[in-house]
Amino acid sequence: QVQLVESGGGLVQAGGSLRLSCEASGIVSSINAMAWYRQAPGKERELVAAITRSGATNYPDSVKGRFTISRDNAKHMLYLQMNSLKPEDTAVYYCNAEYILAGIPHRAWGQGTQVTVSS
C-alpha cells in the first residue's frame, strides 16, 4: 500500500503564494503518476495538476501559468507551488498517487489540506 500526507495549506490573501507538500510512504517504488486535486464546498473534486514519473506535467486552464507541480522521486515527495492565488482557489487540496501492485492498479489519497484565499 501507499500512504500520502499533505502539508502546507493555510490562509493567504489574493495574489499571494503557497507551497503544498505531499509525502509518500509505503511501497513508494510502485508509484507512477501523481497529482493534486481540489474540492470546494458544494463542488465536485477536480484535477489541479498532474505529473508522470518522468516529469511530464498537465494542468487545466484554470491554474495554468499560476501553479507548478513537481516531484522528488528520491525523497518520495510531491509539491504544488501556487502563485497569484485567487479566492476561487479556496478548497481542500488532495494529493493522489497511482500505483500498481501485483498487476492491479490502485489509487491512494491523502487526507487533504485546506487552502483559503481571502479577497
Side-chain angles (χ1 to χ4, degrees):
Q1 301 295 329
V2 171
Q3 295 80 41
L4 304 171
V5 177
E6 303 99 335
S7 61
L11 173 64
V12 64
Q13 288 188 331
S17 299
L18 279 176
R19 188 193 194 207
L20 304 183
S21 299
C22 172
E23 181 176 9
S25 61
I27 310 177
V28 293
S29 60
S30 63
I31 295 176
N32 294 319
M34 300 187 76
W36 289 96
Y37 286 76
R38 68 186 180 188
Q39 188 166 20
K43 294 187 177 181
E44 294 186 353
R45 191 171 296 189
E46 63 175 355
L47 176 70
V48 174
I51 185 168
T52 66
R53 189 173 182 85
S54 61
T57 59
N58 181 48
Y59 306 91
D61 289 342
S62 58
V63 307
K64 196 173 293 183
R66 300 189 298 122
F67 290 10
T68 302
I69 189 172
S70 61
R71 64 191 287 177
D72 186 331
N73 292 329
K75 295 182 178 179
H76 317 306
M77 295 292 296
L78 179 71
Y79 305 100
L80 184 68
Q81 178 65 43
M82 304 185 293
N83 299 328
S84 302
L85 283 162
K86 305 175 181 179
E88 51 263 44
D89 294 319
T90 296
V92 178
Y93 284 70
Y94 297 90
C95 177
N96 170 264
E98 299 177 0
Y99 62 102
I100 296 177
L101 288 178
I104 300 174
H106 293 76
R107 300 187 77 178
W109 293 92
Q111 82 287 353
T113 185
Q114 177 70 46
V115 172
T116 302
V117 184
S118 63
S119 57

